[in-house]
Amino acid sequence: MNLSTTIADVHFSTCLMNAAGALCVTQEELETLGRSRSGAIVTKSMTPAFRQGNPEPRYYSFPGGSINSMGLPNLGYPAYAEIIPKLRKFGKPIIASIAGLSPVDFLEAAQTITSVQPDLIEINLSCPNIPGKPQIGYDVEASRSLLLQLKDVLTVPFGVKLPPYFDPVHHEAVAGVLQEVGVDFLSVINSVGNGLVVDPDKERVVIKPKAGFGGIGGRMIKPVALANVRAFWKLFDGQMPIIGTGGIVSGTDVFEHVLCGASAVQIGTAFVDEGVTVFQRLEKEVSEILHRKGYESLLQCRGTLQEL
Ligand code: SIN
């Protein structure tokens, strides 16, 4: 089955890939992705210097999904600037995710990483796990100002990783800014920030940072993810490439994201739970669905969700 896709003129032989954050911090993890069936190698969001991240336990998986408060553990962008060229041998697109605790952080990372020419750059506007630092994507003016500055230094196509929005007014405001800036793709959604999972036996929280508050991912956030993919698909009249992330556990979930308008999908919680074999399994499952329905390619269904 043809599961290929194109985002900002970059060709992906399959549209399934890891989400920034999941098992993509070290060179070894990135090379493992290179050898896997993942359609791309997406790096962990990088900051100027090495970060240990938040204290452990900081990730917890449960039947409905996961909660994490990793705190952007990463090697720092100088290290990724050295690793990225070494990943070319795998012959698949490389997406560098950049983050920061201030606009200067983002700009420095953008300047260095653009010089090693990953295929795409994903700007993370949505990490909910840095104590005292709000998610930039919830501040439209701060997002606008940052993106306009980044646009001046980036020489590769770039997109934004957005937090979930819960009101059409917010989708419209954000889409307006992204249109004005002229981003090349959207990646929606990051985890649903600042959820709380309770262990009723132990009568306590399940992760240590931020008194147990963290980003919720996995199965339970799929409806929120689908709504965001769909809202942005409509606001951009189907012209904006969207990478759908959130709640993808089965081939059916991939299919639903594409129906809503995704051109590609990223896998977070299920990848952490299952390892790299998840890509092969999802490929097989979604191919079977498409074959059964008589489609020739996944993109044939992109955005075709019917309304009642
Ligand atoms: C983290 O490192 O805390 C997760 C990354 C993110 O949510 O963007």
Side-chain angles (χ1 to χ4, degrees):
M1 183 56 68
N2 178 0
L3 302 181
S4 69
T5 195
T6 301
I7 296 172
D9 290 333
V10 176
H11 178 75
F12 296 72
S13 60
T14 142
C15 68
L16 304 154
M17 66 192 79
N18 68 298
L23 305 178
C24 56
V25 174
T26 63
Q27 182 169 341
E28 194 185 338
E29 286 172 336
L30 293 165
E31 289 186 347
T32 300
L33 281 161
R35 287 187 292 271
S36 77
R37 292 291 307 171
S38 176
I41 304 173
V42 186
T43 73
K44 175 71 183 171
S45 296
M46 56 192 84
T47 54
F50 168 85
R51 280 177 64 84
Q52 193 73 49
N54 290 339
E56 298 192 24
R58 57 193 185 181
Y59 184 92
Y60 180 83
S61 180
F62 56 100
S66 65
I67 182 168
N68 89 83
S69 184
M70 305 301 287
L72 295 176
N74 76 96
L75 304 179
Y77 68 76
Y80 293 107
E82 287 188 12
I83 292 172
I84 285 170
K86 296 179 189 155
L87 301 175
R88 297 232 164 273
K89 61 177 180 252
F90 296 106
K92 58 175 80 169
I94 299 163
I95 304 181
S97 170
I98 66 175
L101 276 56
S102 70
V104 172
D105 286 0
F106 278 92
L107 282 162
E108 282 179 8
Q111 261 153 350
T112 301
I113 294 302
T114 205
S115 71
V116 296
Q117 298 278 300
D119 297 276
L120 299 172
I121 290 183
E122 188 179 275
I123 297 163
N124 185 351
L125 299 180
S126 48
C127 178
N129 302 328
I130 307 297
K133 296 280 178 191
Q135 293 162 83
I136 306 162
Y138 285 139
D139 182 334
V140 176
E141 196 38 53
S143 299
R144 177 176 176 276
S145 158
L146 176 64
L147 292 172
L148 287 171
Q149 292 176 70
L150 286 168
K151 192 180 169 72
D152 279 346
V153 300
L154 290 172
T155 60
V156 295
F158 71 98
V160 284
K161 174 90 170 258
L162 296 173
Y165 299 97
F166 298 94
D167 193 288
V169 169
H170 296 153
H171 289 121
E172 280 164 31
V174 172
V177 163
L178 299 175
Q179 188 96 56
E180 178 192 340
V181 172
V183 302
D184 297 295
F185 70 95
L186 312 184
S187 192
V188 287
I189 57 174
N190 205 325
S191 59
V192 175
N194 297 296
L196 186 63
V197 173
V198 170
D199 180 335
D201 293 330
K202 295 185 176 144
E203 302 177 24
R204 67 178 192 204
V205 300
V206 297
I207 56 170
K208 188 174 173 68
K210 291 182 69 176
F213 284 61
I216 306 295
R219 204 180 287 277
M220 63 164 42
I221 72 165
K222 186 175 74 171
V224 178
L226 294 177
N228 276 268
V229 170
R230 190 66 181 163
F232 285 116
W233 160 267
K234 287 186 154 196
L235 283 164
F236 285 97
D237 291 327
Q239 301 303 308
M240 176 65 77
I242 298 174
I243 303 177
T245 311
I248 297 176
V249 180
S250 70
T252 305
D253 303 323
V254 176
F255 184 60
E256 290 178 12
H257 267 267
V258 174
L259 282 178
C260 288
S263 292
V265 294
Q266 293 182 347
I267 324 296
T269 301
F271 173 38
V272 174
D273 284 348
E274 236 173 290
V276 284
T277 54
V278 74
F279 302 111
Q280 209 166 341
R281 177 178 67 74
L282 293 175
E283 237 183 72
K284 183 167 173 285
E285 288 177 9
V286 75
S287 296
E288 279 167 8
I289 293 167
L290 295 170
H291 183 72
R292 197 173 64 238
K293 286 173 167 279
Y295 292 113
E296 282 166 13
S297 74
L298 189 55
L299 286 195
Q300 215 182 330
C301 317
R302 180 179 178 229
T304 59
L305 184 70
Q306 293 175 46
E307 295 177 11
L308 297 176

